[in-house]
Short mmCIF file of all heavy atoms in Angstrom, two decimals:
data_model
loop_
_atom_site.label_atom_id
_atom_site.label_comp_id
_atom_site.label_asym_id
_atom_site.label_seq_id
_atom_site.Cartn_x
_atom_site.Cartn_y
_atom_site.Cartn_z
N MET A 1 4.97 -14.05 6.52
CA MET A 1 4.43 -13.87 7.86
C MET A 1 2.99 -13.37 7.74
O MET A 1 2.71 -12.47 6.95
CB MET A 1 5.29 -12.84 8.60
CG MET A 1 4.76 -12.47 9.96
SD MET A 1 5.86 -11.37 10.88
CE MET A 1 5.42 -9.80 10.19
N ILE A 2 2.12 -13.96 8.52
CA ILE A 2 0.72 -13.52 8.51
C ILE A 2 0.60 -12.18 9.25
O ILE A 2 1.06 -12.05 10.39
CB ILE A 2 -0.20 -14.57 9.16
CG1 ILE A 2 -0.25 -15.84 8.33
CG2 ILE A 2 -1.61 -14.02 9.37
CD1 ILE A 2 -0.90 -15.67 6.96
N ILE A 3 0.01 -11.20 8.61
CA ILE A 3 -0.20 -9.88 9.21
C ILE A 3 -1.63 -9.79 9.76
O ILE A 3 -1.84 -9.34 10.87
CB ILE A 3 0.02 -8.75 8.17
CG1 ILE A 3 1.43 -8.84 7.59
CG2 ILE A 3 -0.27 -7.39 8.78
CD1 ILE A 3 2.55 -8.60 8.56
N CYS A 4 -2.59 -10.20 8.97
CA CYS A 4 -4.00 -10.15 9.38
C CYS A 4 -4.49 -11.58 9.58
O CYS A 4 -4.66 -12.31 8.61
CB CYS A 4 -4.82 -9.43 8.32
SG CYS A 4 -6.58 -9.42 8.67
N HIS A 5 -4.71 -11.91 10.84
CA HIS A 5 -5.13 -13.29 11.15
C HIS A 5 -6.60 -13.51 10.81
O HIS A 5 -7.00 -14.62 10.48
CB HIS A 5 -4.84 -13.61 12.61
CG HIS A 5 -3.38 -13.70 12.89
ND1 HIS A 5 -2.69 -14.88 12.74
CD2 HIS A 5 -2.47 -12.76 13.24
CE1 HIS A 5 -1.40 -14.66 13.03
NE2 HIS A 5 -1.25 -13.39 13.32
N CYS A 6 -7.41 -12.47 10.89
CA CYS A 6 -8.85 -12.64 10.56
C CYS A 6 -9.03 -13.04 9.11
O CYS A 6 -9.91 -13.83 8.79
CB CYS A 6 -9.61 -11.34 10.82
SG CYS A 6 -9.72 -10.87 12.54
N GLN A 7 -8.23 -12.45 8.23
CA GLN A 7 -8.41 -12.67 6.79
C GLN A 7 -7.24 -13.42 6.15
O GLN A 7 -7.18 -13.53 4.93
CB GLN A 7 -8.60 -11.32 6.08
CG GLN A 7 -9.83 -10.56 6.54
CD GLN A 7 -11.11 -11.27 6.16
OE1 GLN A 7 -11.15 -12.09 5.25
NE2 GLN A 7 -12.18 -10.97 6.88
N SER A 8 -6.32 -13.90 6.96
CA SER A 8 -5.16 -14.64 6.46
C SER A 8 -4.42 -13.88 5.36
O SER A 8 -4.20 -14.38 4.26
CB SER A 8 -5.57 -16.01 5.93
OG SER A 8 -6.09 -16.79 6.97
N ILE A 9 -4.06 -12.64 5.68
CA ILE A 9 -3.30 -11.81 4.74
C ILE A 9 -1.86 -11.76 5.21
O ILE A 9 -1.59 -11.41 6.36
CB ILE A 9 -3.90 -10.39 4.65
CG1 ILE A 9 -5.33 -10.46 4.09
CG2 ILE A 9 -3.03 -9.49 3.77
CD1 ILE A 9 -6.05 -9.13 4.12
N SER A 10 -0.95 -12.09 4.31
CA SER A 10 0.48 -12.11 4.67
C SER A 10 1.16 -10.80 4.26
O SER A 10 0.60 -10.00 3.50
CB SER A 10 1.16 -13.28 3.95
OG SER A 10 1.22 -13.03 2.56
N ASP A 11 2.37 -10.62 4.74
CA ASP A 11 3.16 -9.46 4.33
C ASP A 11 3.40 -9.50 2.82
O ASP A 11 3.39 -8.47 2.16
CB ASP A 11 4.47 -9.37 5.11
CG ASP A 11 5.33 -10.62 4.99
OD1 ASP A 11 4.79 -11.72 4.73
OD2 ASP A 11 6.56 -10.50 5.19
N HIS A 12 3.57 -10.68 2.29
CA HIS A 12 3.76 -10.81 0.83
C HIS A 12 2.51 -10.34 0.08
O HIS A 12 2.62 -9.65 -0.94
CB HIS A 12 4.08 -12.26 0.47
CG HIS A 12 4.24 -12.47 -1.00
ND1 HIS A 12 3.20 -12.90 -1.81
CD2 HIS A 12 5.30 -12.28 -1.82
CE1 HIS A 12 3.62 -12.96 -3.06
NE2 HIS A 12 4.89 -12.60 -3.09
N ASP A 13 1.34 -10.69 0.57
CA ASP A 13 0.08 -10.25 -0.07
C ASP A 13 0.00 -8.72 -0.09
O ASP A 13 -0.39 -8.12 -1.10
CB ASP A 13 -1.14 -10.79 0.68
CG ASP A 13 -1.25 -12.30 0.65
OD1 ASP A 13 -0.80 -12.92 -0.33
OD2 ASP A 13 -1.80 -12.86 1.63
N ILE A 14 0.37 -8.11 1.02
CA ILE A 14 0.29 -6.65 1.12
C ILE A 14 1.28 -6.00 0.15
O ILE A 14 0.93 -5.08 -0.59
CB ILE A 14 0.54 -6.19 2.57
CG1 ILE A 14 -0.62 -6.66 3.46
CG2 ILE A 14 0.71 -4.67 2.65
CD1 ILE A 14 -0.37 -6.48 4.94
N ARG A 15 2.51 -6.49 0.14
CA ARG A 15 3.52 -5.91 -0.76
C ARG A 15 3.12 -6.09 -2.23
O ARG A 15 3.27 -5.18 -3.04
CB ARG A 15 4.89 -6.52 -0.50
CG ARG A 15 5.52 -6.01 0.78
CD ARG A 15 7.01 -6.35 0.85
NE ARG A 15 7.23 -7.79 0.89
CZ ARG A 15 7.31 -8.49 2.01
NH1 ARG A 15 7.21 -7.88 3.17
NH2 ARG A 15 7.50 -9.78 1.98
N ALA A 16 2.57 -7.25 -2.55
CA ALA A 16 2.14 -7.50 -3.94
C ALA A 16 1.00 -6.56 -4.32
O ALA A 16 0.97 -6.05 -5.45
CB ALA A 16 1.73 -8.96 -4.11
N ALA A 17 0.07 -6.34 -3.39
CA ALA A 17 -1.06 -5.44 -3.68
C ALA A 17 -0.57 -4.00 -3.87
O ALA A 17 -1.02 -3.29 -4.77
CB ALA A 17 -2.09 -5.52 -2.56
N VAL A 18 0.38 -3.57 -3.02
CA VAL A 18 0.93 -2.22 -3.15
C VAL A 18 1.64 -2.08 -4.50
O VAL A 18 1.43 -1.10 -5.23
CB VAL A 18 1.90 -1.90 -1.99
CG1 VAL A 18 2.69 -0.62 -2.26
CG2 VAL A 18 1.14 -1.78 -0.67
N ASP A 19 2.46 -3.06 -4.85
CA ASP A 19 3.17 -3.02 -6.14
C ASP A 19 2.19 -2.95 -7.30
O ASP A 19 2.37 -2.18 -8.25
CB ASP A 19 4.07 -4.25 -6.29
CG ASP A 19 5.28 -4.20 -5.39
OD1 ASP A 19 5.60 -3.12 -4.84
OD2 ASP A 19 5.91 -5.27 -5.20
N TRP A 20 1.14 -3.75 -7.23
CA TRP A 20 0.15 -3.79 -8.30
C TRP A 20 -0.58 -2.45 -8.42
O TRP A 20 -0.74 -1.92 -9.52
CB TRP A 20 -0.85 -4.92 -8.03
CG TRP A 20 -1.96 -4.95 -9.02
CD1 TRP A 20 -1.92 -5.45 -10.29
CD2 TRP A 20 -3.28 -4.42 -8.84
NE1 TRP A 20 -3.14 -5.27 -10.89
CE2 TRP A 20 -3.98 -4.65 -10.03
CE3 TRP A 20 -3.91 -3.79 -7.77
CZ2 TRP A 20 -5.30 -4.25 -10.18
CZ3 TRP A 20 -5.23 -3.40 -7.93
CH2 TRP A 20 -5.91 -3.63 -9.12
N MET A 21 -0.98 -1.89 -7.29
CA MET A 21 -1.70 -0.61 -7.33
C MET A 21 -0.81 0.51 -7.85
O MET A 21 -1.25 1.36 -8.61
CB MET A 21 -2.23 -0.25 -5.94
CG MET A 21 -3.49 -0.99 -5.60
SD MET A 21 -4.22 -0.41 -4.09
CE MET A 21 -3.75 -1.77 -3.05
N ARG A 22 0.46 0.53 -7.43
CA ARG A 22 1.37 1.58 -7.89
C ARG A 22 1.64 1.44 -9.39
O ARG A 22 1.71 2.43 -10.12
CB ARG A 22 2.70 1.52 -7.10
CG ARG A 22 3.69 2.58 -7.45
CD ARG A 22 3.20 4.01 -7.18
NE ARG A 22 2.93 4.22 -5.79
CZ ARG A 22 1.82 4.84 -5.33
NH1 ARG A 22 0.94 5.35 -6.16
NH2 ARG A 22 1.60 4.98 -4.04
N ALA A 23 1.75 0.21 -9.88
CA ALA A 23 1.96 0.00 -11.31
C ALA A 23 0.72 0.42 -12.10
O ALA A 23 0.84 0.96 -13.21
CB ALA A 23 2.30 -1.46 -11.58
N ALA A 24 -0.46 0.19 -11.54
CA ALA A 24 -1.71 0.53 -12.24
C ALA A 24 -1.94 2.03 -12.27
O ALA A 24 -2.50 2.56 -13.23
CB ALA A 24 -2.88 -0.18 -11.57
N ASP A 25 -1.54 2.72 -11.18
CA ASP A 25 -1.75 4.17 -11.12
C ASP A 25 -0.64 4.79 -10.27
O ASP A 25 -0.69 4.73 -9.04
CB ASP A 25 -3.11 4.48 -10.51
CG ASP A 25 -3.41 5.97 -10.47
OD1 ASP A 25 -2.51 6.79 -10.80
OD2 ASP A 25 -4.55 6.33 -10.11
N PRO A 26 0.35 5.40 -10.90
CA PRO A 26 1.49 5.95 -10.15
C PRO A 26 1.11 7.03 -9.14
O PRO A 26 1.86 7.30 -8.21
CB PRO A 26 2.40 6.53 -11.24
CG PRO A 26 2.00 5.83 -12.49
CD PRO A 26 0.54 5.51 -12.35
N GLN A 27 -0.04 7.67 -9.30
CA GLN A 27 -0.42 8.78 -8.41
C GLN A 27 -1.45 8.38 -7.36
O GLN A 27 -1.91 9.23 -6.60
CB GLN A 27 -0.95 9.94 -9.25
CG GLN A 27 0.06 10.49 -10.24
CD GLN A 27 1.30 11.04 -9.55
OE1 GLN A 27 1.20 11.77 -8.58
NE2 GLN A 27 2.48 10.67 -10.05
N THR A 28 -1.85 7.13 -7.32
CA THR A 28 -2.92 6.74 -6.40
C THR A 28 -2.47 6.76 -4.94
O THR A 28 -1.31 6.48 -4.63
CB THR A 28 -3.49 5.35 -6.77
OG1 THR A 28 -4.72 5.17 -6.08
CG2 THR A 28 -2.53 4.23 -6.39
N LEU A 29 -3.39 7.10 -4.07
CA LEU A 29 -3.15 7.04 -2.64
C LEU A 29 -3.53 5.64 -2.18
O LEU A 29 -4.67 5.22 -2.37
CB LEU A 29 -4.01 8.10 -1.94
CG LEU A 29 -3.80 8.27 -0.45
CD1 LEU A 29 -2.38 8.75 -0.16
CD2 LEU A 29 -4.80 9.28 0.09
N ILE A 30 -2.59 4.92 -1.61
CA ILE A 30 -2.84 3.53 -1.22
C ILE A 30 -3.23 3.49 0.26
O ILE A 30 -2.51 4.00 1.11
CB ILE A 30 -1.60 2.67 -1.50
CG1 ILE A 30 -1.29 2.68 -3.00
CG2 ILE A 30 -1.81 1.24 -1.01
CD1 ILE A 30 0.01 2.01 -3.37
N THR A 31 -4.37 2.90 0.53
CA THR A 31 -4.89 2.80 1.90
C THR A 31 -5.10 1.33 2.25
O THR A 31 -5.21 0.48 1.35
CB THR A 31 -6.23 3.53 2.01
OG1 THR A 31 -7.19 2.87 1.18
CG2 THR A 31 -6.11 5.00 1.59
N PRO A 32 -5.20 1.03 3.55
CA PRO A 32 -5.50 -0.36 3.93
C PRO A 32 -6.81 -0.85 3.29
O PRO A 32 -6.89 -1.99 2.85
CB PRO A 32 -5.61 -0.30 5.45
CG PRO A 32 -4.76 0.85 5.84
CD PRO A 32 -4.92 1.85 4.72
N GLY A 33 -7.81 0.00 3.24
CA GLY A 33 -9.09 -0.40 2.64
C GLY A 33 -8.94 -0.80 1.19
O GLY A 33 -9.56 -1.78 0.74
N LYS A 34 -8.12 -0.07 0.46
CA LYS A 34 -7.90 -0.42 -0.95
C LYS A 34 -7.19 -1.76 -1.06
O LYS A 34 -7.43 -2.53 -1.98
CB LYS A 34 -7.10 0.67 -1.66
CG LYS A 34 -7.89 1.92 -1.96
CD LYS A 34 -7.01 2.90 -2.71
CE LYS A 34 -7.79 4.15 -3.09
NZ LYS A 34 -6.92 5.10 -3.80
N ILE A 35 -6.27 -2.02 -0.14
CA ILE A 35 -5.56 -3.30 -0.18
C ILE A 35 -6.52 -4.45 0.13
O ILE A 35 -6.51 -5.47 -0.56
CB ILE A 35 -4.35 -3.28 0.78
CG1 ILE A 35 -3.30 -2.31 0.22
CG2 ILE A 35 -3.77 -4.68 0.95
CD1 ILE A 35 -2.09 -2.16 1.08
N TYR A 36 -7.36 -4.26 1.13
CA TYR A 36 -8.36 -5.31 1.42
C TYR A 36 -9.22 -5.58 0.20
O TYR A 36 -9.47 -6.73 -0.15
CB TYR A 36 -9.23 -4.91 2.61
CG TYR A 36 -8.65 -5.27 3.94
CD1 TYR A 36 -8.06 -4.31 4.74
CD2 TYR A 36 -8.68 -6.59 4.41
CE1 TYR A 36 -7.52 -4.64 5.97
CE2 TYR A 36 -8.13 -6.93 5.63
CZ TYR A 36 -7.55 -5.95 6.41
OH TYR A 36 -7.01 -6.29 7.62
N ARG A 37 -9.69 -4.51 -0.42
CA ARG A 37 -10.55 -4.69 -1.61
C ARG A 37 -9.80 -5.37 -2.74
O ARG A 37 -10.34 -6.23 -3.43
CB ARG A 37 -11.13 -3.35 -2.06
CG ARG A 37 -12.34 -2.94 -1.25
CD ARG A 37 -13.07 -1.77 -1.89
NE ARG A 37 -12.28 -0.54 -1.86
CZ ARG A 37 -12.18 0.26 -0.81
NH1 ARG A 37 -12.81 -0.01 0.29
NH2 ARG A 37 -11.45 1.35 -0.87
N ALA A 38 -8.54 -4.97 -2.95
CA ALA A 38 -7.74 -5.58 -4.02
C ALA A 38 -7.56 -7.08 -3.79
O ALA A 38 -7.45 -7.85 -4.74
CB ALA A 38 -6.38 -4.90 -4.12
N LEU A 39 -7.54 -7.47 -2.51
CA LEU A 39 -7.36 -8.88 -2.18
C LEU A 39 -8.70 -9.61 -2.06
O LEU A 39 -8.74 -10.81 -1.76
CB LEU A 39 -6.57 -9.02 -0.87
CG LEU A 39 -5.14 -8.46 -0.91
CD1 LEU A 39 -4.52 -8.47 0.47
CD2 LEU A 39 -4.28 -9.26 -1.90
N GLY A 40 -9.80 -8.86 -2.29
CA GLY A 40 -11.12 -9.48 -2.22
C GLY A 40 -11.55 -9.81 -0.80
O GLY A 40 -12.31 -10.75 -0.59
N LYS A 41 -11.06 -9.01 0.16
CA LYS A 41 -11.37 -9.29 1.58
C LYS A 41 -11.83 -8.01 2.27
O LYS A 41 -11.77 -6.93 1.70
CB LYS A 41 -10.14 -9.86 2.26
CG LYS A 41 -9.66 -11.14 1.56
CD LYS A 41 -8.49 -11.76 2.23
CE LYS A 41 -8.14 -13.03 1.47
NZ LYS A 41 -7.30 -13.92 2.17
N ARG A 42 -12.30 -8.16 3.51
CA ARG A 42 -12.75 -7.02 4.31
C ARG A 42 -12.12 -7.13 5.69
O ARG A 42 -11.99 -8.23 6.23
CB ARG A 42 -14.26 -7.04 4.47
CG ARG A 42 -15.00 -6.93 3.16
CD ARG A 42 -16.47 -7.05 3.37
NE ARG A 42 -16.95 -5.90 4.17
CZ ARG A 42 -18.21 -5.74 4.51
NH1 ARG A 42 -19.11 -6.63 4.18
NH2 ARG A 42 -18.57 -4.70 5.20
N ALA A 43 -11.76 -5.98 6.26
CA ALA A 43 -11.21 -5.99 7.61
C ALA A 43 -12.29 -6.45 8.59
O ALA A 43 -13.48 -6.24 8.37
CB ALA A 43 -10.72 -4.60 7.98
N ASP A 44 -11.83 -7.08 9.66
CA ASP A 44 -12.77 -7.56 10.67
C ASP A 44 -12.52 -6.84 12.00
O ASP A 44 -13.12 -5.82 12.28
CB ASP A 44 -12.65 -9.08 10.80
CG ASP A 44 -13.75 -9.68 11.63
OD1 ASP A 44 -14.62 -8.92 12.13
OD2 ASP A 44 -13.76 -10.90 11.81
N CYS A 45 -11.60 -7.34 12.82
CA CYS A 45 -11.39 -6.78 14.15
C CYS A 45 -10.55 -5.50 14.12
O CYS A 45 -10.64 -4.69 15.03
CB CYS A 45 -10.75 -7.81 15.06
SG CYS A 45 -9.00 -8.11 14.72
N GLY A 46 -9.69 -5.34 13.13
CA GLY A 46 -8.82 -4.17 13.05
C GLY A 46 -7.56 -4.27 13.91
O GLY A 46 -6.77 -3.34 13.93
N GLY A 47 -7.39 -5.36 14.59
CA GLY A 47 -6.22 -5.53 15.46
C GLY A 47 -4.90 -5.53 14.71
O GLY A 47 -3.85 -5.26 15.29
N CYS A 48 -4.94 -5.83 13.44
CA CYS A 48 -3.72 -5.91 12.65
C CYS A 48 -3.30 -4.56 12.09
O CYS A 48 -2.24 -4.45 11.48
CB CYS A 48 -3.92 -6.87 11.48
SG CYS A 48 -5.25 -6.36 10.36
N LEU A 49 -4.13 -3.54 12.26
CA LEU A 49 -3.89 -2.28 11.56
C LEU A 49 -2.49 -1.69 11.78
O LEU A 49 -1.85 -1.29 10.80
CB LEU A 49 -4.96 -1.25 11.91
CG LEU A 49 -5.07 -0.09 10.95
CD1 LEU A 49 -5.28 -0.57 9.51
CD2 LEU A 49 -6.18 0.84 11.37
N PRO A 50 -1.95 -1.63 13.00
CA PRO A 50 -0.59 -1.07 13.15
C PRO A 50 0.45 -1.84 12.33
O PRO A 50 1.27 -1.23 11.63
CB PRO A 50 -0.31 -1.18 14.65
CG PRO A 50 -1.66 -1.17 15.28
CD PRO A 50 -2.55 -1.91 14.31
N LEU A 51 0.41 -3.15 12.38
CA LEU A 51 1.37 -3.95 11.62
C LEU A 51 1.08 -3.89 10.13
O LEU A 51 1.99 -3.86 9.29
CB LEU A 51 1.33 -5.41 12.12
CG LEU A 51 2.42 -6.33 11.60
CD1 LEU A 51 3.81 -5.77 11.83
CD2 LEU A 51 2.30 -7.70 12.27
N PHE A 52 -0.20 -3.82 9.79
CA PHE A 52 -0.63 -3.70 8.39
C PHE A 52 -0.05 -2.39 7.81
O PHE A 52 0.55 -2.38 6.73
CB PHE A 52 -2.16 -3.68 8.34
CG PHE A 52 -2.76 -4.02 7.02
CD1 PHE A 52 -3.32 -5.27 6.81
CD2 PHE A 52 -2.79 -3.11 5.98
CE1 PHE A 52 -3.90 -5.60 5.59
CE2 PHE A 52 -3.36 -3.43 4.77
CZ PHE A 52 -3.92 -4.67 4.57
N LEU A 53 -0.22 -1.29 8.53
CA LEU A 53 0.29 0.01 8.07
C LEU A 53 1.81 0.00 7.97
O LEU A 53 2.38 0.53 7.02
CB LEU A 53 -0.17 1.12 9.02
CG LEU A 53 -1.64 1.51 8.91
CD1 LEU A 53 -2.02 2.40 10.08
CD2 LEU A 53 -1.93 2.21 7.60
N ASN A 54 2.47 -0.60 8.96
CA ASN A 54 3.93 -0.69 8.92
C ASN A 54 4.40 -1.44 7.69
O ASN A 54 5.37 -1.04 7.03
CB ASN A 54 4.43 -1.43 10.16
CG ASN A 54 5.16 -0.52 11.10
OD1 ASN A 54 5.43 0.62 10.79
ND2 ASN A 54 5.49 -1.06 12.26
N THR A 55 3.73 -2.53 7.38
CA THR A 55 4.11 -3.33 6.21
C THR A 55 3.90 -2.52 4.93
O THR A 55 4.75 -2.54 4.04
CB THR A 55 3.28 -4.62 6.17
OG1 THR A 55 3.47 -5.32 7.41
CG2 THR A 55 3.71 -5.51 5.01
N MET A 56 2.79 -1.80 4.85
CA MET A 56 2.55 -0.95 3.68
C MET A 56 3.66 0.08 3.53
O MET A 56 4.21 0.26 2.45
CB MET A 56 1.22 -0.21 3.83
CG MET A 56 -0.01 -1.04 3.70
SD MET A 56 -1.49 -0.12 4.16
CE MET A 56 -1.39 1.33 3.13
N ARG A 57 3.98 0.77 4.63
CA ARG A 57 4.95 1.87 4.57
C ARG A 57 6.35 1.40 4.24
O ARG A 57 7.16 2.16 3.71
CB ARG A 57 4.96 2.62 5.91
CG ARG A 57 3.69 3.39 6.14
CD ARG A 57 3.68 4.04 7.50
NE ARG A 57 2.45 4.77 7.70
CZ ARG A 57 1.80 4.83 8.85
NH1 ARG A 57 2.29 4.25 9.92
NH2 ARG A 57 0.68 5.50 8.95
N ARG A 58 6.67 0.16 4.58
CA ARG A 58 8.01 -0.37 4.29
C ARG A 58 8.12 -0.92 2.87
O ARG A 58 9.20 -1.33 2.46
CB ARG A 58 8.38 -1.44 5.31
CG ARG A 58 8.79 -0.84 6.65
CD ARG A 58 9.23 -1.88 7.62
NE ARG A 58 8.03 -2.65 7.99
CZ ARG A 58 8.04 -3.92 8.32
NH1 ARG A 58 9.16 -4.59 8.35
NH2 ARG A 58 6.93 -4.55 8.62
N THR A 59 7.02 -0.94 2.14
CA THR A 59 7.07 -1.39 0.75
C THR A 59 7.56 -0.23 -0.12
O THR A 59 6.98 0.85 -0.08
CB THR A 59 5.67 -1.85 0.29
OG1 THR A 59 5.21 -2.87 1.18
CG2 THR A 59 5.70 -2.38 -1.13
N PRO A 60 8.64 -0.44 -0.87
CA PRO A 60 9.22 0.67 -1.64
C PRO A 60 8.22 1.39 -2.55
O PRO A 60 8.30 2.61 -2.72
CB PRO A 60 10.33 -0.01 -2.45
CG PRO A 60 10.73 -1.18 -1.62
CD PRO A 60 9.45 -1.66 -0.97
N ALA A 61 7.28 0.68 -3.13
CA ALA A 61 6.34 1.30 -4.06
C ALA A 61 5.21 2.06 -3.36
O ALA A 61 4.36 2.65 -4.02
CB ALA A 61 5.74 0.24 -4.99
N PHE A 62 5.20 2.07 -2.03
CA PHE A 62 4.09 2.69 -1.30
C PHE A 62 4.01 4.20 -1.56
O PHE A 62 2.94 4.75 -1.77
CB PHE A 62 4.23 2.43 0.19
CG PHE A 62 3.19 3.13 1.01
CD1 PHE A 62 1.86 2.74 0.97
CD2 PHE A 62 3.55 4.20 1.82
CE1 PHE A 62 0.90 3.40 1.73
CE2 PHE A 62 2.60 4.86 2.58
CZ PHE A 62 1.28 4.46 2.53
N ARG A 63 5.14 4.87 -1.54
CA ARG A 63 5.13 6.33 -1.67
C ARG A 63 4.82 6.76 -3.10
O ARG A 63 5.26 6.13 -4.05
CB ARG A 63 6.48 6.90 -1.26
CG ARG A 63 6.78 6.67 0.19
CD ARG A 63 8.02 7.42 0.62
NE ARG A 63 8.36 7.08 1.97
CZ ARG A 63 7.74 7.57 3.05
NH1 ARG A 63 6.78 8.43 2.89
NH2 ARG A 63 8.10 7.19 4.26
N ILE A 64 4.09 7.85 -3.20
CA ILE A 64 3.80 8.43 -4.50
C ILE A 64 5.09 9.07 -5.00
O ILE A 64 5.70 9.86 -4.28
CB ILE A 64 2.67 9.47 -4.41
CG1 ILE A 64 1.38 8.80 -3.96
CG2 ILE A 64 2.49 10.19 -5.75
CD1 ILE A 64 0.25 9.75 -3.66
N PRO A 65 5.53 8.71 -6.22
CA PRO A 65 6.78 9.28 -6.71
C PRO A 65 6.69 10.80 -6.83
O PRO A 65 5.64 11.34 -7.19
CB PRO A 65 6.98 8.62 -8.08
CG PRO A 65 5.79 7.78 -8.33
CD PRO A 65 4.90 7.81 -7.15
N ALA A 66 7.79 11.45 -6.50
CA ALA A 66 7.83 12.91 -6.60
C ALA A 66 7.74 13.32 -8.07
O ALA A 66 8.29 12.63 -8.94
CB ALA A 66 9.12 13.43 -6.00
N PRO A 67 7.05 14.43 -8.33
CA PRO A 67 6.99 14.89 -9.73
C PRO A 67 8.38 15.35 -10.17
O PRO A 67 9.21 15.72 -9.32
CB PRO A 67 6.00 16.05 -9.68
CG PRO A 67 6.03 16.52 -8.26
CD PRO A 67 6.36 15.31 -7.42
N PRO A 68 8.62 15.33 -11.45
CA PRO A 68 9.94 15.80 -11.92
C PRO A 68 10.09 17.28 -11.60
O PRO A 68 9.13 18.02 -11.50
CB PRO A 68 9.89 15.54 -13.42
CG PRO A 68 8.46 15.36 -13.76
CD PRO A 68 7.74 14.91 -12.51
N ASP A 69 11.36 17.68 -11.42
CA ASP A 69 11.63 19.10 -11.18
C ASP A 69 11.16 19.91 -12.37
O ASP A 69 11.38 19.51 -13.53
CB ASP A 69 13.12 19.33 -10.97
CG ASP A 69 13.57 18.80 -9.62
OD1 ASP A 69 12.73 18.68 -8.71
OD2 ASP A 69 14.76 18.48 -9.49
N PRO A 70 10.55 21.05 -12.09
CA PRO A 70 10.13 21.88 -13.24
C PRO A 70 11.35 22.41 -13.98
O PRO A 70 12.39 22.67 -13.40
CB PRO A 70 9.35 23.01 -12.57
CG PRO A 70 9.75 23.00 -11.15
CD PRO A 70 10.23 21.62 -10.83
N VAL A 71 11.18 22.54 -15.25
CA VAL A 71 12.26 23.06 -16.08
C VAL A 71 12.30 24.58 -15.90
O VAL A 71 11.30 25.26 -16.03
CB VAL A 71 12.05 22.71 -17.57
CG1 VAL A 71 13.15 23.32 -18.42
CG2 VAL A 71 11.97 21.21 -17.73
N ARG A 72 13.47 25.05 -15.52
CA ARG A 72 13.61 26.50 -15.32
C ARG A 72 13.83 27.18 -16.65
O ARG A 72 14.62 26.73 -17.48
CB ARG A 72 14.76 26.80 -14.38
CG ARG A 72 14.48 26.38 -12.99
CD ARG A 72 15.57 26.87 -12.10
NE ARG A 72 15.23 26.50 -10.73
CZ ARG A 72 16.08 26.58 -9.74
NH1 ARG A 72 17.28 27.02 -9.95
NH2 ARG A 72 15.72 26.23 -8.53
N LYS A 73 13.13 28.27 -16.80
CA LYS A 73 13.33 29.07 -18.01
C LYS A 73 14.36 30.14 -17.69
O LYS A 73 14.30 30.78 -16.64
CB LYS A 73 12.03 29.72 -18.45
CG LYS A 73 11.01 28.71 -18.94
CD LYS A 73 9.78 29.39 -19.46
CE LYS A 73 8.82 28.32 -19.96
NZ LYS A 73 7.59 28.89 -20.45
N THR A 74 15.29 30.31 -18.54
CA THR A 74 16.29 31.35 -18.35
C THR A 74 16.07 32.45 -19.36
O THR A 74 15.67 32.21 -20.50
CB THR A 74 17.72 30.79 -18.52
OG1 THR A 74 17.83 30.19 -19.80
CG2 THR A 74 18.03 29.73 -17.46
N GLY A 75 16.31 33.64 -18.90
CA GLY A 75 16.24 34.77 -19.79
C GLY A 75 14.93 35.38 -19.97
O GLY A 75 13.85 35.32 -19.80
S1 FES B 1 -6.43 -9.27 12.38
FE1 FES B 1 -6.84 -8.10 10.63
S2 FES B 1 -8.94 -7.60 10.75
FE2 FES B 1 -8.56 -8.87 12.49
#
């Protein structure tokens, strides 16, 4: 499904960019601007932003993984 009509960006493009960015850097903050840049495009009208953000947030790799629980010292 096309999410950004100005730049012909699909939901698949967004999910692939999120997956790629998370694999490249597990701690990176993923923003729409970074996704546009990763796809070699620039936002135009911004009308797609709500759907663009929704698509990003629904991608499993979007969230920064929680750090491991600290090891408790006993004694
Ligand atoms: S629809 Fe995405 S920038 Fe216009």
Side-chain angles (χ1 to χ4, degrees):
M1 175 175 82
I2 293 294
I3 302 295
C4 176
H5 291 272
C6 293
Q7 298 294 338
S8 296
I9 297 173
S10 70
D11 56 335
H12 178 265
D13 296 330
I14 293 170
R15 286 194 296 270
V18 169
D19 288 345
W20 175 79
M21 280 188 256
R22 182 61 62 225
D25 182 353
Q27 300 299 314
T28 194
L29 186 63
I30 298 173
T31 65
K34 285 182 177 179
I35 291 178
Y36 274 103
R37 278 192 293 279
L39 297 172
K41 302 182 178 197
R42 298 176 65 180
D44 190 359
C45 74
C48 60
L49 198 55
L51 190 54
F52 200 104
L53 286 169
N54 250 352
T55 304
M56 288 171 54
R57 291 176 180 143
R58 283 183 291 149
T59 303
F62 175 70
R63 295 189 185 283
I64 296 172
D69 288 336
V71 177
R72 290 188 177 167
K73 293 184 179 179
T74 57

